[in-house]
Amino acid sequence: MPDSEFAGRFLGVLGGMGPMASAVFMVRLTALTDAASDQHHVPAMLWSDPRIPDRPAGHAGTGADPFPWMLNGVRHIERAGAGVIAIPCNTAHLWYDKLAASTSLPVLHIVRSVVADLRRHGIMGGRIGLLGTVPTLNSGLYQHELEAQGYQCVLLPQSDLLRYCAEAIRLVKVNQVDAAQEPAVHSVQLLRQQGVDAVVLGCTELPLAVPAQIRPSMGVAVIDSIDALALAALDWYRDA
Amino acid sequence: MPDSEFAGRFLGVLGGMGPMASAVFMVRLTALTDAASDQHHVPAMLWSDPRIPDRPAGHAGTGADPFPWMLNGVRHIERAGAGVIAIPCNTAHLWYDKLAASTSLPVLHIVRSVVADLRRHGIMGGRIGLLGTVPTLNSGLYQHELEAQGYQCVLLPQSDLLRYCAEAIRLVKVNQVDAAQEPAVHSVQLLRQQGVDAVVLGCTELPLAVPAQIRPSMGVAVIDSIDALALAALDWYRDA
């Protein structure tokens, strides 16, 4: 049987950052697909490597460099024959330019996916509250892209960010998703009180701590970076 | 940087049968790991290929043969360097012997994982109610293994199996997980009324239709074949 029988475009997912976020990305990719049977879903390969060193520590220079490990994952995805790479980790996008330059495959950008999702929600401008890890927010990763698209960015004071948002991320990473809900929801509420038009869950652990079913009652649009990236991947697959 | 820096055992997952079941397998693998940080989780590669032809139709000879597609996935997993293969699809285990013979990698067996999980629950014998696809149950895949281990098997009449259990599986596969709950729960209750000691959710779509939080109130032990396989994979990783 010729290999070509199995040819066809498939999605490569550089995951494990953390492993729950990339597993939930696969769940959301499936749930967001309009499918009448298994065979209508998107073929994908997930490289889930939780050994990739901690991104915030690596960025701060206080821990091992995660980049060589990410590149190892990219090489696995390339060798398997994927047509595009999605990275369900916002902080990993601090290495986006370096990763994108290291491969001939297109790499979806999670922040650009979030901008597309804001527009899908009809939010074409205004004040956007940002939640995420400290290095993601301090780097300006979101601010640069959102401001270029005409949005204004609103951040929590660093003390609140550490106390509520970083704490929620930490709890998800140690499998305490239920305990993560209170600090995560409080982070969203603090931004809502500043009159923002939407809050971006700009760390892929946060959507787990703010489950979809409670979002409609939060009084502000909540943009989920996992869903945004999954929708970008589905767009890629449909356009292929 | 030498490749050996990235060496280490990782789990290969032959998935996409269906894609939601294998995505949830990745979620449960993560949630069932006792981890203090990302870096304590199990590295894994998921080959999620929903193009693999329908297993029940393939087994009945009314649809394309899924085996060459499964083998294509096994080859991808081998080439990536995985140390073991897990297949989060019960019906796919009708091809287990053929798949296991086609690779030098060990392949975890979902039914043996379920037997281990029954014992983990303290159920060392007795009457076990079985739910699954028609070909899985008609093939005797579960009955053979369970009877060899001293359990008795209880099945629903074929008409009830089709009306409730097969319908729940179909609904999960078309992303109607909420609608799948009523027929799935009814299947469990019909078996409970026959006085079984446990009910095995012997199709990886069924645990999605009988969510973990409702199981304690069902009046009978519910054994989840996704969780059982994830626990077997964790045992493999710890023993490695």
Side-chain angles (χ1 to χ4, degrees), chain A residues 69-126:
Chain A
W69 288 84
M70 292 185 206
L71 196 58
N72 177 55
V74 167
R75 293 288 172 260
H76 273 281
I77 290 168
E78 285 172 342
R79 277 198 290 265
V84 74
I85 300 177
I87 310 172
C89 172
N90 286 272
T91 312
H93 283 71
L94 294 173
W95 288 268
Y96 176 89
D97 291 341
K98 226 174 142 181
L99 277 171
S102 73
T103 177
S104 59
L105 292 180
V107 184
L108 301 174
H109 195 299
I110 201 164
V111 178
R112 290 176 212 146
S113 306
V114 163
V115 170
D117 204 38
L118 280 165
R119 293 189 175 140
R120 206 179 276 118
H121 280 77
I123 302 163
M124 312 308 277

Short mmCIF file of all heavy atoms in Angstrom, two decimals, chain A residues 69-126:
data_model
loop_
_atom_site.label_atom_id
_atom_site.label_comp_id
_atom_site.label_asym_id
_atom_site.label_seq_id
_atom_site.Cartn_x
_atom_site.Cartn_y
_atom_site.Cartn_z
N TRP A 69 14.49 22.66 23.86
CA TRP A 69 13.46 21.63 24.02
C TRP A 69 12.27 21.90 23.10
O TRP A 69 11.66 20.98 22.57
CB TRP A 69 12.99 21.58 25.48
CG TRP A 69 14.02 20.99 26.37
CD1 TRP A 69 15.09 21.62 26.96
CD2 TRP A 69 14.11 19.62 26.76
NE1 TRP A 69 15.82 20.73 27.69
CE2 TRP A 69 15.24 19.50 27.61
CE3 TRP A 69 13.33 18.49 26.51
CZ2 TRP A 69 15.61 18.29 28.18
CZ3 TRP A 69 13.70 17.28 27.09
CH2 TRP A 69 14.83 17.18 27.90
N MET A 70 11.93 23.17 22.95
CA MET A 70 10.85 23.49 22.01
C MET A 70 11.26 23.11 20.59
O MET A 70 10.48 22.55 19.83
CB MET A 70 10.54 25.00 22.05
CG MET A 70 9.92 25.48 23.34
SD MET A 70 9.49 27.25 23.12
CE MET A 70 9.56 27.81 24.80
N LEU A 71 12.53 23.41 20.26
CA LEU A 71 13.03 23.12 18.92
C LEU A 71 13.02 21.61 18.67
O LEU A 71 12.70 21.15 17.56
CB LEU A 71 14.45 23.69 18.78
CG LEU A 71 15.00 23.81 17.37
CD1 LEU A 71 14.12 24.68 16.49
CD2 LEU A 71 16.42 24.39 17.42
N ASN A 72 13.35 20.83 19.70
CA ASN A 72 13.27 19.37 19.60
C ASN A 72 11.83 18.94 19.23
O ASN A 72 11.62 18.07 18.37
CB ASN A 72 13.71 18.75 20.93
CG ASN A 72 13.60 17.23 20.96
OD1 ASN A 72 14.14 16.54 20.12
ND2 ASN A 72 12.85 16.71 21.94
N GLY A 73 10.86 19.57 19.86
CA GLY A 73 9.46 19.27 19.52
C GLY A 73 9.12 19.67 18.09
O GLY A 73 8.45 18.92 17.37
N VAL A 74 9.60 20.84 17.68
CA VAL A 74 9.37 21.29 16.29
C VAL A 74 9.96 20.27 15.31
O VAL A 74 9.31 19.91 14.31
CB VAL A 74 9.98 22.69 16.07
CG1 VAL A 74 10.04 23.04 14.58
CG2 VAL A 74 9.17 23.74 16.84
N ARG A 75 11.15 19.75 15.61
CA ARG A 75 11.78 18.78 14.71
C ARG A 75 10.93 17.50 14.62
O ARG A 75 10.77 16.93 13.54
CB ARG A 75 13.20 18.43 15.20
CG ARG A 75 14.17 19.60 15.11
CD ARG A 75 14.57 19.94 13.67
NE ARG A 75 15.35 21.18 13.63
CZ ARG A 75 14.85 22.38 13.30
NH1 ARG A 75 13.58 22.51 12.95
NH2 ARG A 75 15.61 23.45 13.29
N HIS A 76 10.38 17.06 15.75
CA HIS A 76 9.50 15.88 15.73
C HIS A 76 8.26 16.14 14.87
O HIS A 76 7.83 15.28 14.10
CB HIS A 76 9.06 15.52 17.16
CG HIS A 76 10.01 14.62 17.87
ND1 HIS A 76 10.07 13.26 17.66
CD2 HIS A 76 10.97 14.88 18.79
CE1 HIS A 76 11.01 12.73 18.42
NE2 HIS A 76 11.58 13.69 19.12
N ILE A 77 7.69 17.33 14.99
CA ILE A 77 6.49 17.69 14.24
C ILE A 77 6.81 17.78 12.75
O ILE A 77 6.03 17.30 11.91
CB ILE A 77 5.90 19.00 14.80
CG1 ILE A 77 5.32 18.75 16.20
CG2 ILE A 77 4.84 19.58 13.86
CD1 ILE A 77 4.97 20.01 16.97
N GLU A 78 7.97 18.36 12.43
CA GLU A 78 8.39 18.44 11.01
C GLU A 78 8.57 17.05 10.43
O GLU A 78 8.09 16.76 9.33
CB GLU A 78 9.74 19.16 10.90
CG GLU A 78 9.67 20.67 11.09
CD GLU A 78 11.07 21.27 11.15
OE1 GLU A 78 12.06 20.51 11.40
OE2 GLU A 78 11.19 22.49 10.99
N ARG A 79 9.29 16.20 11.18
CA ARG A 79 9.59 14.85 10.66
C ARG A 79 8.31 14.06 10.41
O ARG A 79 8.24 13.25 9.49
CB ARG A 79 10.49 14.09 11.64
CG ARG A 79 11.95 14.42 11.50
CD ARG A 79 12.84 13.35 12.17
NE ARG A 79 12.74 13.36 13.62
CZ ARG A 79 13.57 14.01 14.42
NH1 ARG A 79 14.55 14.74 13.93
NH2 ARG A 79 13.43 13.94 15.72
N ALA A 80 7.30 14.30 11.24
CA ALA A 80 6.02 13.57 11.07
C ALA A 80 5.27 14.06 9.83
O ALA A 80 4.42 13.34 9.31
CB ALA A 80 5.17 13.73 12.31
N GLY A 81 5.58 15.28 9.37
CA GLY A 81 4.97 15.77 8.14
C GLY A 81 3.80 16.73 8.32
O GLY A 81 2.99 16.90 7.39
N ALA A 82 3.72 17.37 9.48
CA ALA A 82 2.61 18.31 9.71
C ALA A 82 2.69 19.50 8.76
O ALA A 82 3.77 19.82 8.24
CB ALA A 82 2.64 18.80 11.16
N GLY A 83 1.54 20.17 8.56
CA GLY A 83 1.48 21.30 7.64
C GLY A 83 1.54 22.65 8.32
O GLY A 83 1.72 23.69 7.66
N VAL A 84 1.37 22.68 9.63
CA VAL A 84 1.36 23.93 10.39
C VAL A 84 1.62 23.57 11.85
O VAL A 84 1.42 22.42 12.25
CB VAL A 84 -0.01 24.65 10.22
CG1 VAL A 84 -1.10 23.95 11.01
CG2 VAL A 84 0.06 26.13 10.61
N ILE A 85 2.08 24.55 12.61
CA ILE A 85 2.34 24.32 14.04
C ILE A 85 1.51 25.28 14.87
O ILE A 85 1.46 26.48 14.58
CB ILE A 85 3.84 24.50 14.38
CG1 ILE A 85 4.69 23.50 13.57
CG2 ILE A 85 4.10 24.34 15.88
CD1 ILE A 85 6.21 23.65 13.78
N ALA A 86 0.83 24.75 15.88
CA ALA A 86 0.14 25.57 16.89
C ALA A 86 0.81 25.32 18.24
O ALA A 86 1.21 24.18 18.52
CB ALA A 86 -1.34 25.19 16.97
N ILE A 87 0.95 26.37 19.03
CA ILE A 87 1.63 26.25 20.33
C ILE A 87 0.68 26.74 21.42
O ILE A 87 0.56 27.96 21.64
CB ILE A 87 2.93 27.09 20.37
CG1 ILE A 87 3.82 26.79 19.14
CG2 ILE A 87 3.70 26.84 21.67
CD1 ILE A 87 5.02 27.73 19.00
N PRO A 88 -0.04 25.83 22.07
CA PRO A 88 -1.00 26.27 23.09
C PRO A 88 -0.33 26.65 24.41
O PRO A 88 -0.55 26.01 25.44
CB PRO A 88 -1.96 25.08 23.22
CG PRO A 88 -1.23 23.90 22.69
CD PRO A 88 -0.11 24.39 21.83
N CYS A 89 0.48 27.68 24.36
CA CYS A 89 1.13 28.27 25.54
C CYS A 89 1.48 29.69 25.16
O CYS A 89 2.25 29.92 24.22
CB CYS A 89 2.40 27.50 25.91
SG CYS A 89 3.37 28.30 27.23
N ASN A 90 0.91 30.65 25.89
CA ASN A 90 1.17 32.05 25.56
C ASN A 90 2.62 32.44 25.84
O ASN A 90 3.26 33.09 25.01
CB ASN A 90 0.24 32.97 26.36
CG ASN A 90 -1.19 32.94 25.85
OD1 ASN A 90 -1.54 33.69 24.96
ND2 ASN A 90 -2.02 32.07 26.40
N THR A 91 3.15 32.02 27.01
CA THR A 91 4.50 32.44 27.38
C THR A 91 5.53 31.91 26.39
O THR A 91 6.53 32.58 26.10
CB THR A 91 4.83 32.00 28.83
OG1 THR A 91 3.74 32.37 29.68
CG2 THR A 91 6.09 32.66 29.34
N ALA A 92 5.27 30.71 25.84
CA ALA A 92 6.19 30.15 24.83
C ALA A 92 6.31 31.08 23.63
O ALA A 92 7.31 31.02 22.91
CB ALA A 92 5.70 28.77 24.38
N HIS A 93 5.31 31.93 23.41
CA HIS A 93 5.37 32.86 22.28
C HIS A 93 6.43 33.94 22.45
O HIS A 93 6.70 34.70 21.52
CB HIS A 93 3.98 33.45 21.98
CG HIS A 93 3.10 32.47 21.25
ND1 HIS A 93 2.59 31.35 21.86
CD2 HIS A 93 2.68 32.44 19.96
CE1 HIS A 93 1.87 30.67 20.97
NE2 HIS A 93 1.91 31.29 19.83
N LEU A 94 7.04 34.03 23.63
CA LEU A 94 8.20 34.91 23.79
C LEU A 94 9.35 34.41 22.91
O LEU A 94 10.26 35.17 22.58
CB LEU A 94 8.63 34.97 25.26
CG LEU A 94 7.60 35.64 26.18
CD1 LEU A 94 8.03 35.50 27.64
CD2 LEU A 94 7.44 37.11 25.81
N TRP A 95 9.31 33.13 22.55
CA TRP A 95 10.32 32.54 21.65
C TRP A 95 9.75 32.38 20.24
O TRP A 95 10.34 31.69 19.43
CB TRP A 95 10.78 31.19 22.20
CG TRP A 95 11.64 31.29 23.42
CD1 TRP A 95 13.01 31.36 23.45
CD2 TRP A 95 11.21 31.34 24.79
NE1 TRP A 95 13.45 31.46 24.75
CE2 TRP A 95 12.36 31.44 25.60
CE3 TRP A 95 9.96 31.31 25.43
CZ2 TRP A 95 12.30 31.50 26.99
CZ3 TRP A 95 9.90 31.37 26.81
CH2 TRP A 95 11.06 31.48 27.57
N TYR A 96 8.60 32.99 19.94
CA TYR A 96 7.92 32.77 18.66
C TYR A 96 8.83 33.10 17.47
O TYR A 96 8.95 32.30 16.54
CB TYR A 96 6.64 33.60 18.57
CG TYR A 96 5.96 33.46 17.22
CD1 TYR A 96 5.02 32.45 17.00
CD2 TYR A 96 6.28 34.30 16.15
CE1 TYR A 96 4.42 32.29 15.76
CE2 TYR A 96 5.69 34.15 14.90
CZ TYR A 96 4.76 33.14 14.72
OH TYR A 96 4.17 32.98 13.49
N ASP A 97 9.47 34.27 17.49
CA ASP A 97 10.26 34.69 16.32
C ASP A 97 11.40 33.71 16.06
O ASP A 97 11.66 33.33 14.92
CB ASP A 97 10.81 36.11 16.51
CG ASP A 97 9.69 37.16 16.48
OD1 ASP A 97 8.59 36.84 15.98
OD2 ASP A 97 9.92 38.27 16.99
N LYS A 98 12.05 33.29 17.16
CA LYS A 98 13.16 32.34 17.05
C LYS A 98 12.67 30.99 16.53
O LYS A 98 13.32 30.36 15.68
CB LYS A 98 13.78 32.17 18.45
CG LYS A 98 15.29 32.24 18.49
CD LYS A 98 15.79 32.21 19.94
CE LYS A 98 17.06 31.39 20.04
NZ LYS A 98 17.60 31.30 21.41
N LEU A 99 11.51 30.53 17.02
CA LEU A 99 10.95 29.26 16.56
C LEU A 99 10.53 29.34 15.10
O LEU A 99 10.82 28.45 14.31
CB LEU A 99 9.74 28.87 17.42
CG LEU A 99 10.04 28.17 18.74
CD1 LEU A 99 8.76 28.05 19.57
CD2 LEU A 99 10.64 26.78 18.49
N ALA A 100 9.81 30.41 14.76
CA ALA A 100 9.31 30.55 13.39
C ALA A 100 10.47 30.62 12.41
O ALA A 100 10.38 30.10 11.29
CB ALA A 100 8.42 31.79 13.29
N ALA A 101 11.60 31.22 12.84
CA ALA A 101 12.77 31.34 11.96
C ALA A 101 13.50 29.99 11.81
O ALA A 101 14.29 29.82 10.89
CB ALA A 101 13.74 32.38 12.51
N SER A 102 13.19 29.05 12.70
CA SER A 102 13.94 27.78 12.72
C SER A 102 13.24 26.69 11.91
O SER A 102 13.73 25.57 11.85
CB SER A 102 14.10 27.31 14.16
OG SER A 102 12.85 26.83 14.64
N THR A 103 12.08 27.00 11.34
CA THR A 103 11.32 25.98 10.62
C THR A 103 10.72 26.58 9.36
O THR A 103 10.42 27.77 9.32
CB THR A 103 10.20 25.39 11.52
OG1 THR A 103 9.44 24.44 10.75
CG2 THR A 103 9.26 26.45 12.06
N SER A 104 10.56 25.72 8.36
CA SER A 104 9.89 26.19 7.14
C SER A 104 8.37 26.08 7.26
O SER A 104 7.64 26.54 6.38
CB SER A 104 10.39 25.38 5.94
OG SER A 104 10.11 24.02 6.16
N LEU A 105 7.88 25.46 8.35
CA LEU A 105 6.43 25.35 8.53
C LEU A 105 5.86 26.68 9.03
O LEU A 105 6.50 27.37 9.82
CB LEU A 105 6.09 24.27 9.56
CG LEU A 105 6.40 22.84 9.16
CD1 LEU A 105 6.02 21.89 10.29
CD2 LEU A 105 5.62 22.47 7.90
N PRO A 106 4.63 27.02 8.60
CA PRO A 106 3.99 28.17 9.22
C PRO A 106 3.67 27.87 10.68
O PRO A 106 3.37 26.73 11.03
CB PRO A 106 2.70 28.34 8.40
CG PRO A 106 2.47 27.04 7.71
CD PRO A 106 3.81 26.37 7.57
N VAL A 107 3.80 28.89 11.52
CA VAL A 107 3.50 28.73 12.95
C VAL A 107 2.38 29.71 13.30
O VAL A 107 2.54 30.93 13.12
CB VAL A 107 4.74 29.01 13.83
CG1 VAL A 107 4.42 28.73 15.29
CG2 VAL A 107 5.94 28.17 13.37
N LEU A 108 1.24 29.19 13.74
CA LEU A 108 0.14 30.07 14.15
C LEU A 108 0.59 30.90 15.35
O LEU A 108 1.35 30.41 16.19
CB LEU A 108 -1.10 29.24 14.50
CG LEU A 108 -1.64 28.35 13.38
CD1 LEU A 108 -2.79 27.47 13.90
CD2 LEU A 108 -2.12 29.20 12.20
N HIS A 109 0.11 32.14 15.45
CA HIS A 109 0.50 33.00 16.57
C HIS A 109 -0.71 33.18 17.48
O HIS A 109 -1.77 33.63 17.04
CB HIS A 109 0.99 34.35 16.04
CG HIS A 109 1.74 35.16 17.06
ND1 HIS A 109 1.16 35.58 18.23
CD2 HIS A 109 3.04 35.57 17.10
CE1 HIS A 109 2.06 36.25 18.94
NE2 HIS A 109 3.21 36.25 18.28
N ILE A 110 -0.55 32.83 18.74
CA ILE A 110 -1.71 32.82 19.65
C ILE A 110 -2.28 34.23 19.85
O ILE A 110 -3.50 34.38 19.98
CB ILE A 110 -1.34 32.12 20.99
CG1 ILE A 110 -2.61 31.64 21.72
CG2 ILE A 110 -0.47 33.02 21.88
CD1 ILE A 110 -2.34 30.63 22.82
N VAL A 111 -1.43 35.26 19.85
CA VAL A 111 -1.95 36.61 20.08
C VAL A 111 -2.75 37.08 18.86
O VAL A 111 -3.82 37.68 19.00
CB VAL A 111 -0.81 37.60 20.42
CG1 VAL A 111 -1.38 39.00 20.61
CG2 VAL A 111 -0.09 37.16 21.69
N ARG A 112 -2.25 36.76 17.67
CA ARG A 112 -3.01 37.12 16.46
C ARG A 112 -4.34 36.35 16.42
O ARG A 112 -5.35 36.86 15.95
CB ARG A 112 -2.18 36.84 15.20
CG ARG A 112 -1.02 37.84 15.10
CD ARG A 112 -0.09 37.56 13.91
NE ARG A 112 1.27 37.95 14.28
CZ ARG A 112 2.39 37.35 13.87
NH1 ARG A 112 2.34 36.33 13.03
NH2 ARG A 112 3.56 37.78 14.29
N SER A 113 -4.33 35.13 16.95
CA SER A 113 -5.57 34.34 17.02
C SER A 113 -6.56 35.00 17.98
O SER A 113 -7.77 34.99 17.74
CB SER A 113 -5.27 32.91 17.50
OG SER A 113 -4.30 32.32 16.69
N VAL A 114 -6.04 35.56 19.07
CA VAL A 114 -6.90 36.25 20.04
C VAL A 114 -7.50 37.52 19.41
O VAL A 114 -8.69 37.81 19.60
CB VAL A 114 -6.12 36.57 21.34
CG1 VAL A 114 -6.83 37.64 22.17
CG2 VAL A 114 -5.94 35.29 22.16
N VAL A 115 -6.70 38.25 18.64
CA VAL A 115 -7.23 39.44 17.96
C VAL A 115 -8.36 39.03 17.00
O VAL A 115 -9.43 39.65 16.97
CB VAL A 115 -6.11 40.19 17.19
CG1 VAL A 115 -6.70 41.26 16.29
CG2 VAL A 115 -5.11 40.81 18.17
N ALA A 116 -8.15 37.94 16.26
CA ALA A 116 -9.19 37.46 15.35
C ALA A 116 -10.45 37.08 16.14
O ALA A 116 -11.58 37.30 15.69
CB ALA A 116 -8.68 36.25 14.55
N ASP A 117 -10.26 36.52 17.33
CA ASP A 117 -11.40 36.11 18.14
C ASP A 117 -12.13 37.31 18.73
O ASP A 117 -13.37 37.30 18.84
CB ASP A 117 -10.94 35.15 19.25
CG ASP A 117 -12.07 34.25 19.72
OD1 ASP A 117 -12.89 33.81 18.87
OD2 ASP A 117 -12.16 34.00 20.93
N LEU A 118 -11.40 38.36 19.10
CA LEU A 118 -12.05 39.60 19.55
C LEU A 118 -12.99 40.11 18.45
O LEU A 118 -14.14 40.48 18.70
CB LEU A 118 -11.01 40.68 19.88
CG LEU A 118 -10.32 40.58 21.24
CD1 LEU A 118 -9.07 41.46 21.26
CD2 LEU A 118 -11.27 40.99 22.37
N ARG A 119 -12.49 40.11 17.22
CA ARG A 119 -13.30 40.58 16.08
C ARG A 119 -14.49 39.66 15.85
O ARG A 119 -15.58 40.13 15.53
CB ARG A 119 -12.42 40.68 14.84
CG ARG A 119 -11.37 41.78 15.02
CD ARG A 119 -10.62 42.07 13.74
NE ARG A 119 -9.73 43.19 13.97
CZ ARG A 119 -8.49 43.30 13.50
NH1 ARG A 119 -7.99 42.33 12.73
NH2 ARG A 119 -7.76 44.35 13.76
N ARG A 120 -14.26 38.33 16.01
CA ARG A 120 -15.36 37.37 15.86
C ARG A 120 -16.46 37.66 16.89
O ARG A 120 -17.64 37.45 16.62
CB ARG A 120 -14.79 35.96 16.10
CG ARG A 120 -15.53 34.84 15.42
CD ARG A 120 -14.84 33.51 15.72
NE ARG A 120 -13.74 33.19 14.85
CZ ARG A 120 -12.46 33.01 15.24
NH1 ARG A 120 -12.12 33.13 16.51
NH2 ARG A 120 -11.54 32.73 14.37
N HIS A 121 -16.05 38.18 18.07
CA HIS A 121 -17.02 38.57 19.11
C HIS A 121 -17.58 39.97 18.86
O HIS A 121 -18.32 40.48 19.69
CB HIS A 121 -16.35 38.54 20.49
CG HIS A 121 -16.23 37.18 21.09
ND1 HIS A 121 -15.28 36.26 20.69
CD2 HIS A 121 -16.95 36.56 22.07
CE1 HIS A 121 -15.41 35.14 21.40
NE2 HIS A 121 -16.42 35.30 22.25
N GLY A 122 -17.18 40.61 17.76
CA GLY A 122 -17.70 41.94 17.45
C GLY A 122 -17.02 43.06 18.22
O GLY A 122 -17.49 44.19 18.23
N ILE A 123 -15.90 42.74 18.87
CA ILE A 123 -15.17 43.76 19.63
C ILE A 123 -14.06 44.29 18.72
O ILE A 123 -13.00 43.68 18.58
CB ILE A 123 -14.60 43.17 20.94
CG1 ILE A 123 -15.76 42.59 21.77
CG2 ILE A 123 -13.84 44.23 21.74
CD1 ILE A 123 -15.32 41.64 22.87
N MET A 124 -14.34 45.44 18.06
CA MET A 124 -13.44 45.94 17.02
C MET A 124 -12.46 46.98 17.56
O MET A 124 -11.56 47.45 16.84
CB MET A 124 -14.26 46.55 15.87
CG MET A 124 -15.41 45.66 15.40
SD MET A 124 -14.95 43.94 14.99
CE MET A 124 -14.35 44.15 13.32
N GLY A 125 -12.64 47.38 18.82
CA GLY A 125 -11.75 48.36 19.43
C GLY A 125 -12.08 48.42 20.91
O GLY A 125 -12.82 47.57 21.43
N GLY A 126 -11.53 49.45 21.60
CA GLY A 126 -11.87 49.62 23.00
C GLY A 126 -10.79 49.14 23.94
O GLY A 126 -9.65 48.89 23.53
#
